[in-house]
Amino acid sequence: MAGIQVRGLSFKYPTGEKWALDNLDFEVSPSEFVVICGKSGCGKSTLLRQFKKNLTPYGDRIGEVLYDNIPVGELDDRRNATDIGFVQQNPDNQLVTDKVWHELAFGLESLGLDNQTIKRRVAEMASFFDIQGWFRKNVADLSGGQKQLLNLASIMAMQPEILILDEPTSQLDPIAADEFLKIIYKINRELGTTVIISEHRLEELFTMADRVIVMEGGKIIADASPTKVGEILAGEDINKPNPMFYGLPAIMKIYAHNVKSMGAKMRAKRAEMPLTIREGRLWLEEVLAEAPKVGRADFEMESRKDSKTENKLKSEKKDEPIISLKDLWFRYSRESSDVLRGLNLDVNKGEFFCLLGGNGVGKSTTLKAITGIIKPQMGSIFVDGLKVKKENFKALFKNKLSMLPQNPQALFTELSAEEELLESLYREKISDVEKVDRVEKMLEMMEISHLRKSHPYDLSGGEQQRLALGKILLLEPTVLLLDEPTKGLDPFFKITLSGIFQKLKKQGVTIFMVSHDVEFCAEYADKCAMFFDGDVVSVGSPKEFFAGNSFYTTSANRLVRRWYPEGITWEEVSLWIEKTMIK
């Protein structure tokens, strides 16, 4: 079986001032599962494209990439197509036919295989990926997760030796993403296919990977097992870890923080950093057995006291609803079921409100109703005292009601990121100098100044999210509606995004966000609500909402809910462990 060898590889784009890849040297062995991670712009995508002849970007290159001891650029077209499979970020970029069955057969037909072989391989892939239920559907009718699964199945039908995936879940919701990654793991373990994947979802991937490569500024700063990489990123001083540390799974951050702050006794009998909730619980069982009972009691009493104080402050604060939904009912057609079923919900002024729930329950439909994109069959909607109806739309949007859709590309009309932001200010009665200044500041805030001349469709999924959000924020909304804004973002920009939201709140902006990102909502939201069966079934502060749940909660809470059910963020849990262990 063949592997990949990277020898002294450096690469610079024609318009780039710095090397996107800087003297890389490493190998990937056959059947290995390798995760490549790092901040957006660190060179992950550029590196992965060096492994596929027809996707190699144009620019200055030094060194070489070998597949089976042959330079990738010298592979014949047939072997390049069959041996090295590549799954891109956006599933729509790879689909070429109209029907699911034809998409599965297309690559095999292009290779000139006989009909019997094509039928056998198509049947095998349809069964392996469990897509028989939509085998004859139109590709255009598939969900994002189904499209990406179809891309993967079409590639695997050609029986590749190496499967390369460039942030394949960046356009998918968390449930679809989780299922997709499980299939990748199954392919690696059951078929022995080599997997090289770039991703931001490290919570799932660290438990699957044989090895993790961390990139920063075009260089490799860590290349080891997941546990060893966790220790490297934590560094010697836990108060000054590598920025990539904050993208690690919660249990790894908790373990590293407490071991660094309290010494070797926190390691208990574990020789390595835990990766899973199970391993983390076994570790805590050992260390907490040594905890002084008085310390634990004092902290629990202190925690309850803080919770009571928080609830008292909330009760003293007067609620001032700015979004009110009253008994909403909606269905998309006469034949379909109701999506909204008597929905009642209030969002208060200046609040960061997160609406969570499964796929297809009506969360995005709720946002569309608030903006008037759809009209409910029954019920009323009020935004800042104005009823949402056709004759009030001008007044509503004049009062700065803005929405970021789930697909950021829906907002793109221009040829560059810079022009997209300028277009947002087209109707503003300000000077051109002021427009340019505001665009400059927004590019910096969204950390995409280096992409100003790039076409919006050439950006990664996370970069498109940032550009679209910047375009909306330039409108200076007072009510901001967001549909999955953290999808595709790296863990570092999520921290930046939380700071942006805090600043907006101080300016009186109300943020109503639909999301699957449990960890982000738990850490930064003022209030969370669960949407189920067309209505809201529970509302509360993050602590009230997530505490003690078995599944719909954070990784940190699942880890400690037996001992400390109020802990929902990794920082809270780390502090609790520290105080519990102090005599």
Side-chain angles (χ1 to χ4, degrees):
M1 294 177 70
I4 288 280
Q5 300 90 38
V6 177
R7 298 282 180 258
L9 181 64
S10 295
F11 180 83
K12 183 192 293 185
Y13 287 97
T15 58
E17 296 179 2
K18 298 180 179 180
W19 292 98
L21 303 176
D22 192 353
N23 195 29
L24 305 185
D25 265 292
F26 66 94
E27 295 185 4
V28 177
S29 301
S31 296
E32 204 171 13
F33 193 119
V34 179
V35 172
I36 300 178
C37 59
K39 293 178 68 174
S40 291
C42 70
K44 303 186 301 292
S45 296
T46 302
L47 173 59
L48 294 185
R49 288 177 178 273
Q50 307 291 328
F51 302 157
K52 186 77 170 172
K53 184 173 74 171
N54 53 307
L55 294 178
T56 302
Y58 179 75
D60 298 327
R61 175 169 151 163
I62 302 171
E64 59 183 358
V65 178
L66 306 174
Y67 166 70
D68 197 18
N69 295 317
I70 302 170
V72 167
E74 296 178 14
L75 288 173
D76 65 74
D77 291 341
R78 187 181 185 88
R79 197 169 185 195
N80 176 63
T82 58
D83 284 22
I84 304 175
F86 198 107
V87 177
Q88 300 179 47
Q89 295 178 16
N90 191 336
D92 290 316
N93 290 346
Q94 286 185 264
L95 298 171
V96 294
T97 67
D98 57 342
K99 298 287 187 181
V100 170
W101 67 266
H102 196 189
E103 191 70 33
L104 287 170
F106 181 79
L108 303 175
E109 291 172 346
S110 301
L111 294 173
L113 300 183
D114 61 87
N115 287 340
Q116 190 60 39
T117 300
I118 292 174
K119 287 182 179 179
R120 175 169 51 81
R121 288 204 194 175
V122 166
E124 183 182 38
M125 286 303 109
S127 299
F128 183 85
F129 287 91
D130 193 25
I131 61 178
Q132 301 97 315
W134 35 281
F135 183 71
R136 297 193 177 278
K137 275 191 174 184
N138 290 322
V139 170
D141 294 337
L142 303 182
S143 67
Q146 289 174 326
K147 287 178 179 179
Q148 196 66 302
L149 197 61
L150 176 58
N151 277 332
L152 180 60
S154 302
I155 289 167
M156 292 307 299
M158 293 188 282
Q159 301 177 347
E161 294 288 340
I162 296 179
L163 181 61
I164 301 166
L165 306 103
D166 184 11
E167 296 185 27
T169 68
S170 66
Q171 302 291 314
L172 308 184
D173 65 69
I175 296 171
D178 185 59
E179 292 300 317
F180 185 85
L181 293 177
K182 286 177 181 175
I183 290 175
I184 298 300
Y185 186 65
K186 183 180 179 182
I187 287 171
N188 174 254
R189 291 301 189 262
E190 295 187 11
L191 303 182
T193 306
T194 305
V195 172
I196 307 174
I197 181 170
S198 162
E199 257 298 342
H200 294 309
R201 296 176 187 272
L202 302 183
E203 195 83 40
E204 299 93 341
L205 281 175
F206 262 58
T207 64
M208 302 177 182
D210 300 313
R211 179 171 152 215
V212 176
I213 295 175
V214 184
M215 295 186 66
E216 187 176 286
K219 296 177 181 288
I220 291 176
I221 62 169
D223 181 357
S225 67
T227 52
K228 183 62 177 176
V229 163
E231 292 175 0
I232 293 170
L233 296 178
E236 293 300 319
D237 184 353
I238 196 58
N239 295 314
K240 297 178 181 178
N242 183 285
M244 186 62 202
F245 172 78
Y246 297 103
L248 293 177
I251 179 55
M252 298 182 76
K253 291 184 286 191
I254 292 167
Y255 178 88
H257 188 273
N258 287 107
V259 167
K260 295 287 183 183
S261 63
M262 300 187 68
K265 69 176 182 178
M266 291 302 296
R267 289 187 181 273
K269 297 177 183 178
R270 286 201 62 84
E272 291 186 325
M273 185 179 285
L275 292 176
T276 65
I277 299 298
R278 176 182 176 276
E279 292 175 357
R281 281 200 164 202
L282 291 174
W283 164 65
L284 279 179
E285 288 279 3
E286 292 183 31
V287 299
L288 292 179
E290 306 298 322
K293 300 299 180 183
V294 63
R296 296 175 70 177
D298 287 347
F299 186 76
E300 287 164 8
M301 188 178 296
E302 182 182 325
S303 178
R304 284 193 291 270
K305 182 180 177 182
D306 290 344
S307 182
K308 287 180 180 178
T309 302
E310 182 182 341
N311 290 333
K312 184 180 178 182
L313 290 171
K314 278 189 212 169
S315 63
E316 291 175 353
K317 183 181 177 182
K318 186 179 179 181
D319 290 339
E320 187 181 348
I322 193 168
I323 300 174
S324 291
L325 313 179
K326 307 293 185 185
D327 198 30
L328 293 190
W329 288 78
F330 177 78
R331 62 172 61 184
Y332 282 96
S333 67
R334 289 178 180 272
E335 297 76 23
S336 64
S337 301
D338 290 307
V339 180
L340 304 182
R341 301 170 58 83
L343 171 61
N344 288 280
L345 180 65
D346 286 339
V347 178
N348 295 320
K349 189 173 183 178
E351 193 171 53
F352 180 18
F353 191 106
C354 290
L355 187 62
L356 300 101
N359 290 332
V361 296
K363 302 186 304 297
S364 295
T365 300
T366 300
L367 294 186
K368 291 175 183 177
I370 294 171
T371 56
I373 295 174
I374 62 169
K375 183 181 179 182
Q377 281 84 23
M378 291 180 61
S380 302
I381 305 167
F382 294 88
V383 177
D384 201 14
L386 281 172
K387 188 172 184 179
V388 175
K389 54 183 180 178
K390 189 174 181 180
E391 51 267 39
N392 286 340
F393 282 176
K394 187 174 181 180
L396 281 168
F397 290 100
K398 186 178 180 181
N399 286 350
K400 304 291 188 177
L401 170 66
S402 297
M403 174 177 163
L404 176 68
Q406 191 173 112
N407 180 7
Q409 293 182 358
L411 297 181
F412 299 154
T413 58
E414 307 303 314
L415 299 177
S416 72
E418 186 177 48
E419 290 172 350
E420 286 291 352
L421 297 181
L422 280 170
E423 191 274 337
S424 193
L425 298 173
Y426 177 73
R427 297 183 183 278
E428 296 293 315
K429 295 179 180 179
I430 56 177
S431 69
D432 290 344
V433 172
E434 189 175 348
K435 287 181 181 180
V436 170
D437 182 60
R438 286 176 62 180
V439 166
E440 286 287 342
K441 290 178 180 177
M442 188 57 67
L443 286 167
E444 290 176 12
M445 183 187 293
M446 295 294 120
E447 298 178 7
I448 53 174
S449 295
H450 61 295
L451 299 169
R452 63 190 315 128
K453 298 299 181 184
S454 300
H455 193 286
Y457 282 75
D458 291 337
L459 305 183
S460 70
E463 289 164 348
Q464 288 184 351
Q465 285 287 90
R466 284 187 260 167
L467 176 59
L469 179 60
K471 192 168 184 177
I472 292 295
L473 291 182
L474 280 172
L475 297 173
E476 298 182 339
T478 54
V479 178
L480 180 60
L481 309 179
L482 304 168
D483 198 351
E484 295 285 356
T486 63
K487 186 171 67 175
L489 297 184
D490 64 49
F492 325 100
F493 191 77
K494 286 184 183 181
I495 297 173
T496 301
L497 183 63
S498 70
I500 293 171
F501 286 170
Q502 290 301 316
K503 185 177 179 181
L504 290 172
K505 280 177 54 185
K506 288 179 181 177
Q507 296 169 357
V509 176
T510 303
I511 304 169
F512 183 29
M513 181 172 96
V514 162
S515 181
H516 286 288
D517 196 334
V518 170
E519 308 287 339
F520 188 87
C521 297
E523 190 155 1
Y524 302 115
D526 296 318
K527 196 176 290 182
C528 297
M530 170 66 81
F531 206 97
F532 178 76
D533 195 29
D535 196 6
V536 169
V537 295
S538 66
V539 183
S541 70
K543 200 172 288 291
E544 295 167 337
F545 185 81
F546 292 110
N549 292 343
S550 294
F551 298 104
Y552 216 85
T553 187
T554 63
S555 297
N557 186 258
R558 283 199 294 271
L559 176 69
V560 297
R561 69 174 185 268
R562 173 182 167 188
W563 303 282
Y564 177 40
E566 295 87 2
I568 60 171
T569 69
W570 77 267
E571 293 98 332
E572 287 175 339
V573 170
S574 291
L575 179 61
W576 171 76
I577 293 171
E578 187 174 330
K579 290 194 173 184
T580 299
M581 295 301 294
I582 294 174
K583 292 184 179 180

